[in-house]
Amino acid sequence: MEDELQITLTNDYAFKRFLGSEENKPILQDLLQCILGLSSDEITGLELMDKELTKEELSDKSGILDVKLKLANGTVIDIEIQASWNASFVKRTLFYWAKMYTADFKAGESYDNLHKCITINIIADGFRLNDAVHSEYLLQEKRAHTLLTDVLEVHFLDLQAAKRVKAKEDEESKQNQLIHWLRFIGAKNKEERAMLATKSPILKMLNEQIDILSLSPVERKLYESRMKLKSDIATISEDQFKAGLQEGKLEGKLETARVLKQLGDPVQKIMQATGLSQEEVEALN
């Protein structure tokens, strides 16, 4: 008998399948309320974008299976699961934020038509910017800390920090709910998920769906291939990554370029980061 597959939401295929589907919008709304502190009125009526998992997208190991959505007020939100932190991630998330911010803007339109865009990055391991569970970055004046504009928000959620924090069992605060959510996302096995699912009706509902999931052979292969890719990328340490850039060694540059290419970064950006030529980058497997 085939071993039972241990589903974890740190796998981007599983995350998008469960939280990027039309039928699970109430579950996604609950997660967003915990992260962004929005009211139920602000979050109700969200529209899922790119909700279909296409054959081409699933077959492309280097693709990013994120969850994109739009709120009723026009705010666009992108949620991405990242298995491990690396030195290029901050620049990459700003790059994708910029693409999202200008995606529907047409020449001749008023700049007032540009909508707020939020990126939410859930990091499974190795987050290094700070020790917080939830970090939120905005555009502010350097000394007075006054907000320049609210169109940019970048959030980082550290699953390892969530494991370290002690949730207060007698409180139903948004912070407590967020801790439970993040621990559930980071759960590695059925038993751990079942324990965390007792913390809220929403997590109980999601856990029941995961428990009854029966992956077809093709879906199982896709799930496992996504997991293997994330594992392969994680084997390249931060020190190796930085050494390739700082010391200028060709081997290090090529290894860095391979990682960036696997992460889906465009050729031009990889060229700028590594100093390699277009031909060298395009020749990499």
Side-chain angles (χ1 to χ4, degrees), residues 1-5 190 220:
M1 183 176 178
E2 190 175 21
D3 292 339
E4 181 180 2
L5 184 63
K190 189 174 182 177
R220 185 184 180 107

Side-chain angles (χ1 to χ4, degrees), residues 9 11-20 67 79 81 122:
L9 294 181
N11 179 286
D12 53 2
Y13 172 73
F15 187 86
K16 184 160 185 173
R17 173 160 182 168
F18 287 107
L19 291 170
V67 175
I79 311 172
I81 285 283
I122 302 174

